[in-house]
Amino acid sequence: MKKFLFAFAAIVISALATANIVIAQDTNNVTALEQSGNIKSARSMVTDTKPDGTVAVNAKALKNFKKSFKTISAERWVKNQYGFTARFTIDNISNVIYYDKSGNWQATLKTYNEDKFNRKVRAIVKSKYFDYKITQVQEIENTDTNDIPTYIVHIEGEKDFMLIRVSDGNMDVYEKFDRQK
C-alpha cells in the first residue's frame, strides 16, 4: 500500500521537479509553457484523439468521474499508456484524477497554496518548520490510502528548499535542496 503511494508521489514530484514548471491555471498558460519547451505538450500525450480534437474516454471512467464530481463540466481528458486523466481547477485548487484503462479510479492529485491547506496538517509542518514559507501543497489519495491523504508540502527557507511528506500525522523530509550561492 505505502510502496504504491510513495512510488506515485515520487513520480509526481520528479515530473514537477524535472520539468521545472508551475501549475498552469488556464489554456493560455499551458500553451505558453508548451511553446517555451518547459513541458511536454499535453496534446502529444493523447492517443485515440477524435477528429474534433476530443479524447475517446472510457465510459466507466466518465461515469465514475460524473458520480464523484457532479458540478464539474469543463474538465479536460487525456488518454495515456496507463489509462485516463481528467483535469480541472475549482476554487483555485488544481485537480488531476487518474483512472486505469478499465475506467477504475486510481488516484487524485490536488495542488494548491497554503491558504487552502488543512489547518491541522499545516500546524504539524509549521511546528517544526516555523521559519519556512509554504509555497505549494500537493494532496495525494489513491486506492491504497483508505481516504487518508498524503501531503507533499513544498517549503522554502533562507538556505534551502524542502519537500515535506505528511501522512496520517507522521512527517518526514521527502527531499531537500540547498540554495546555490
Side-chain angles (χ1 to χ4, degrees):
M1 169 174 91
K2 288 193 178 213
K3 288 181 184 177
F4 178 79
L5 175 64
F6 296 140
F8 178 74
I11 290 168
V12 170
I13 299 302
S14 297
L16 289 174
T18 303
N20 191 23
I21 65 168
V22 293
I23 301 300
Q25 296 296 323
D26 60 37
T27 307
N28 293 335
N29 288 342
V30 172
T31 303
L33 286 170
E34 288 172 354
Q35 290 171 348
S36 72
N38 287 336
I39 63 171
K40 196 175 199 177
S41 170
R43 289 181 271 289
S44 69
M45 295 186 293
V46 175
T47 58
D48 296 341
T49 304
K50 296 179 186 177
D52 65 358
T54 61
V55 177
V57 178
N58 177 291
K60 185 175 178 182
L62 191 57
K63 179 181 174 185
N64 286 337
F65 179 86
K66 293 298 181 187
K67 182 178 176 184
S68 298
F69 304 98
K70 294 174 177 70
T71 62
I72 304 302
S73 61
E75 76 275 5
R76 291 176 288 137
W77 287 89
V78 174
K79 182 177 181 187
N80 60 41
Q81 65 188 22
Y82 305 108
F84 302 88
T85 59
R87 299 172 183 269
F88 62 93
T89 300
I90 188 164
D91 194 26
N92 291 322
I93 298 174
S94 172
N95 294 268
V96 183
I97 317 302
Y98 297 88
Y99 297 93
D100 65 15
K101 290 179 180 180
S102 299
N104 300 305
W105 174 82
Q106 295 297 298
T108 299
L109 171 65
K110 296 179 181 180
T111 305
Y112 45 84
N113 293 322
E114 182 178 6
D115 64 322
K116 303 290 183 186
F117 196 13
N118 177 300
R119 294 295 170 209
K120 290 181 181 177
V121 181
R122 181 188 178 278
I124 292 170
V125 175
K126 285 295 195 174
S127 70
K128 184 169 182 179
Y129 301 103
F130 49 87
D131 285 340
Y132 285 74
K133 178 182 177 187
I134 295 175
T135 59
Q136 185 180 67
V137 178
Q138 294 173 298
E139 181 180 327
I140 305 162
E141 285 187 63
N142 68 30
T143 56
D144 295 331
T145 61
N146 298 321
D147 295 327
I148 299 172
T150 295
Y151 300 90
I152 304 295
V153 184
H154 300 235
I155 62 174
E156 186 177 318
E158 282 186 31
K159 298 180 181 179
D160 56 9
F161 303 89
M162 286 191 270
L163 302 179
I164 304 299
R165 178 177 40 207
V166 183
S167 183
D168 201 15
N170 299 310
M171 178 174 65
D172 66 338
V173 176
Y174 186 72
E175 283 191 81
K176 183 177 180 178
F177 307 94
D178 293 326
R179 286 188 180 268
Q180 294 182 357
K181 296 178 183 179

